Amino acid sequence: MSPPRGDGRRAASGAADPATPEEVLRALADPDRLAVAGILARGPRSAEAIASELGLPADRVRRLLAKLAAVGIARSPSEGSDYRLVRETLRRAAREVGPQRDPGLALGAVDEDEEAVLRQYFRAGRLREIPVKRAKRLVVLERLALEFDVGFRYSESQVNDVLGRFHDDHASLRRYLVDEGFLSRGGGEYWRTGGRVEV
């Protein structure tokens, strides 16, 4: 019999399905685990540094981190490395339980003209085609830039995953985002440098 989802063996196997939104929520329902995740949201930390910041025993923090790692919220890349928050796990859970994003103001439009462009090019949360006219393409790119967190660095595969949710030609979208200054690139990483910021 296979282990139940959410079991600590998920992380050990490396091949289990991603955690369900319910498992992610249950993992964060504990105040101490939520506090640990909050610290990791500010940057990588060792278990000892988190324990010191929270005033908890290091062994307790390691157990909390193990639970967060079991559902994919936290990850330690290698032995002795700092733990990191896996933001994509939280984004995926939010997408799965949240309402379908529709075009228009919900997609980031600030006026009727932008809303008209977004409604023209998006259907059921997908980009039907990449606009040929630059003015319309900029509106679409501005919307896509909202998918990237300011201050966070993304690998090329992460950028492709985000853009691939909207259109199969993620390479062209990635290039346009860089060329138009919405994303910057360096050292194999991408980061947000333009566009509006949601607050």
Side-chain angles (χ1 to χ4, degrees):
M1 178 183 294
S2 61
R5 298 191 67 181
D7 191 283
R9 286 167 285 184
R10 173 197 304 281
S13 70
D17 292 334
T20 65
E22 292 78 13
E23 289 170 342
V24 171
L25 184 60
R26 280 197 297 270
L28 293 173
D30 176 82
D32 287 342
R33 287 196 294 264
L34 183 60
V36 168
I39 289 173
L40 292 178
R42 301 198 306 266
R45 299 283 196 286
S46 67
E48 291 73 20
I50 296 170
S52 175
E53 193 165 339
L54 292 178
L56 294 174
D59 285 346
R60 164 86 174 137
V61 169
R62 287 190 194 92
R63 289 194 296 272
L64 297 171
L65 285 164
K67 177 60 178 178
L68 294 175
V71 295
I73 295 172
R75 176 173 54 229
S76 179
S78 60
E79 193 66 32
S81 298
D82 289 343
Y83 283 86
R84 298 173 181 273
L85 185 71
V86 184
R87 290 173 169 83
E88 182 53 34
T89 297
L90 303 177
R91 291 193 193 99
R92 185 184 62 247
R95 284 196 306 269
E96 290 179 11
V97 300
Q100 179 79 22
R101 288 188 177 187
D102 290 321
L105 294 174
L107 278 177
V110 296
D111 56 36
E112 291 181 2
D113 290 340
E114 286 194 7
E115 182 174 0
V117 172
L118 293 175
R119 287 192 182 281
Q120 177 184 356
Y121 286 96
F122 283 89
R123 289 289 184 276
R126 291 276 296 176
L127 181 62
R128 293 171 51 239
E129 62 181 297
I130 300 173
V132 175
K133 291 187 177 181
R134 183 172 181 262
K136 292 184 177 182
R137 190 167 61 242
L138 287 174
V139 172
V140 168
L141 294 173
E142 177 109 43
R143 167 61 191 90
L144 295 176
L146 293 174
E147 294 296 308
F148 298 93
D149 294 330
V150 174
F152 184 73
R153 290 181 177 254
Y154 298 83
S155 67
E156 185 169 300
S157 64
Q158 288 175 313
V159 174
N160 291 343
D161 287 344
V162 170
L163 298 176
R165 296 198 309 264
F166 294 92
H167 195 276
D168 292 337
D169 191 359
H170 52 72
S172 291
L173 289 174
R174 187 183 69 238
R175 185 173 60 252
Y176 280 129
L177 285 165
V178 171
D179 290 347
E180 297 292 355
F182 291 100
L183 294 180
S184 288
R185 177 179 56 203
E189 293 182 317
Y190 294 77
W191 59 95
R192 172 91 174 273
T193 51
R196 291 187 295 269
V197 178
E198 289 184 322
V199 293

